[in-house]
Amino acid sequence: LYHITLTITDRQPLLGTLAIPNNDPTMAKVNRTTLGNALVDCLLDIPSYYPEVQVLHFCLMPDHLHAVLYVRRTM
C-alpha cells in the first residue's frame, strides 16, 4: 500500500475551490477546476496502464491530492 501526496507549487489553489454550503462544515466539498478534473481522470486511469495497481481512495483538495494505491504484485 502506498499513500501519496501531490502538491501544487507554492500551494496555489489550482485544483479547485472549497465550497461550504449553508456554512455547514459537514457539507464541505471541492468544486474541481479543469486541471483538478484532469488530475483525477489521470489518477483513475492508472490501472489501465498498470493493471497491478489499484486506486483505493483519493481526496482532492484545492492545492493538493492525497491517494492510496495498492500494488498487488512486484513491478
Side-chain angles (χ1 to χ4, degrees):
L1 288 172
Y2 293 88
H3 176 262
I4 62 168
T5 300
L6 303 173
T7 306
I8 298 295
T9 303
D10 298 327
R11 302 296 288 228
Q12 298 176 70
L14 302 178
L15 303 176
T17 55
L18 182 63
I20 305 174
N22 301 318
N23 248 359
D24 181 357
T26 65
M27 302 294 290
K29 68 177 195 161
V30 172
N31 293 320
R32 297 180 197 161
T33 62
T34 301
L35 180 60
N37 281 327
L39 179 59
V40 170
D41 290 345
C42 288
L43 176 70
L44 296 177
D45 207 25
I46 289 173
S48 67
Y49 295 98
Y50 301 97
E52 59 276 359
V53 177
Q54 182 179 358
V55 179
L56 295 180
H57 193 70
F58 71 91
C59 180
L60 183 77
M61 302 301 285
D63 61 354
H64 66 284
L65 170 88
H66 295 292
V68 178
L69 306 178
Y70 175 48
V71 181
R72 292 189 290 258
R73 63 183 172 99
T74 302
M75 296 175 65

